[in-house]
């Protein structure tokens, strides 16, 4: 398959606002209190992430936790900056979690560790959600070291 056959698609602002209204609708309010933002990497587009969080805050007050799937703390730790932290801090009613995709212990560079500490110091909960990759992290010793 090629990228042309399966182009990467992201939601636009109108679709995100519509989704937030759905999350906060009367049929979902009692059962839904957290969401996961993933696909691509949400931390790569701060303006779109900001719109998403604003829409959820405005239209879905039942949402208490926003989980974000990301590799940014490991692939581009400089993006964990004051602009991102300001976005999180602007919504004290929300709890933010980042599910990092860390596949091997070698990915723990000093900059990556610092970016995770920065997130944690700002109150963001961090957890790992790695795939099991043959020949990369599919042995017990590597998984022990990773965790």
């Amino acid at each position: 398959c090629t990228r042309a056959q399966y182009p990467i698609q992201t939601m636009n602002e109108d679709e995100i606002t519509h989704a937030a209204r759905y999350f906060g609708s009367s049929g979902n309010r009692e059962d839904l209190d957290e969401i996961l933002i993933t696909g691509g990497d949400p931390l790569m587009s701060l303006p779109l992430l900001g719109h998403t969080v604003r829409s959820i805050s405005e239209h879905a007050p039942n949402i208490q936790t926003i989980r974000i799937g990301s590799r940014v703390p490991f692939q581009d730790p400089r993006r964990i900056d004051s602009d991102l932290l300001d976005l999180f801090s602007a919504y004290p009613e929300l709890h933010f979690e980042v599910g990092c995709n860390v596949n091997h212990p070698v990915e723990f560079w000093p900059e990556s560790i610092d970016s995770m500490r920065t997130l944690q110091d700002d109150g963001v909960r961090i957890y790992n959600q790695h795939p099991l990759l043959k020949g990369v992290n599919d042995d017990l010793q590597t998984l022990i070291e990773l965790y």
Side-chain angles (χ1 to χ4, degrees), residues 1-19:
C1 64
T2 66
R3 191 174 288 258
Q5 289 172 311
Y6 300 100
I8 296 172
Q9 296 181 352
T10 59
M11 295 174 70
N12 64 40
E13 288 186 359
D14 288 340
E15 293 167 328
I16 290 168
T17 301
H18 182 71

Side-chain angles (χ1 to χ4, degrees), residues 27-76:
N28 293 315
R29 264 186 236 134
E30 291 185 29
D31 297 325
L32 188 61
D33 65 1
E34 71 177 56
I35 60 163
L36 169 64
I37 303 171
T38 190
D41 195 312
L43 297 184
M44 293 296 291
S45 176
L46 195 55
L48 195 56
L49 180 61
H51 176 79
T52 303
V53 174
R54 274 189 307 279
S55 293
I56 290 167
S57 178
E58 181 180 339
H59 300 292
N62 50 302
I63 300 298
Q64 298 171 14
T65 301
I66 295 178
R67 295 186 295 134
I68 301 168
S70 180
R71 280 193 53 80
V72 162
F74 292 87
Q75 288 192 329
D76 194 0

Side-chain angles (χ1 to χ4, degrees), residues 37-44 68-80 84 97-109 111-113 115-116 119 126-131 133 136-137 146:
I37 303 171
T38 190
D41 195 312
L43 297 184
M44 293 296 291
I68 301 168
S70 180
R71 280 193 53 80
V72 162
F74 292 87
Q75 288 192 329
D76 194 0
R78 293 170 298 176
R79 288 184 181 266
I80 309 302
L84 177 64
E97 299 180 359
V98 173
C100 293
N101 302 105
V102 188
N103 300 316
H104 194 276
V106 74
E107 293 183 87
F108 285 89
W109 296 94
E111 299 86 357
S112 299
I113 293 168
S115 74
M116 290 192 306
L119 287 168
I126 298 175
Y127 60 92
N128 187 16
Q129 54 179 32
H130 78 279
L133 301 172
V136 175
N137 62 13
L146 178 61

